[in-house]
């Protein structure tokens, strides 16, 4: 698979956890596929992934499972 930024082969996909919003609107999404290029060091998401993230955020109440998590603030 080729990198969209530099065009080199060998891009890797890794699944990451990202959080969106804060406070009572905080939403954590796990296993988001992020493409990471070893050549230019860029990491980015595909348009499909971004669309899916928007969909998940819109429908968070039907998708999300409530889990107790520890949240800290960097002070
Ligand atoms: Zn690249």
């Amino acid at each position: 698979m080729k990198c969209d930024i530099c065009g080199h082969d060998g891009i890797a996909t890794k699944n990451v956890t990202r959080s969106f919003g804060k406070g009572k609107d905080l939403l954590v999404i796990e296993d988001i596929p992020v493409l990471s290029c070893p050549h230019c060091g860029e990491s980015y998401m595909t348009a499909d992934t971004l669309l899916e993230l928007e969909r998940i955020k819109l429908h968070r109440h039907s998708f999300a499972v409530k889990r107790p998590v520890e949240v800290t603030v960097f002070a």
Side-chain angles (χ1 to χ4, degrees):
M1 198 165 165
K2 274 193 168 70
C3 175
D4 275 358
I5 315 292
C6 68
H8 280 92
D9 259 328
I11 197 154
T13 307
K14 56 180 179 181
N15 288 346
V16 302
T17 300
R18 289 279 159 85
S19 62
F20 301 90
K22 58 193 281 194
K24 67 178 176 53
D25 291 324
L26 179 70
L27 175 66
V28 177
I29 305 178
E30 291 180 322
D31 292 336
I32 306 169
V34 171
L35 301 173
S36 167
C37 176
H39 302 285
C40 65
E42 207 62 55
S43 18
Y44 58 94
M45 297 173 201
T46 64
D48 281 352
T49 302
L50 292 171
L51 275 178
E52 182 63 13
L53 284 178
E54 287 309 309
R55 201 173 70 90
I56 292 171
K57 281 190 262 178
L58 272 178
H59 301 285
R60 58 183 293 172
H61 296 298
S62 31
F63 289 142
V65 177
K66 286 196 166 44
R67 261 196 246 161
V69 291
E70 292 179 327
V71 179
T72 62
V73 176
F74 183 81

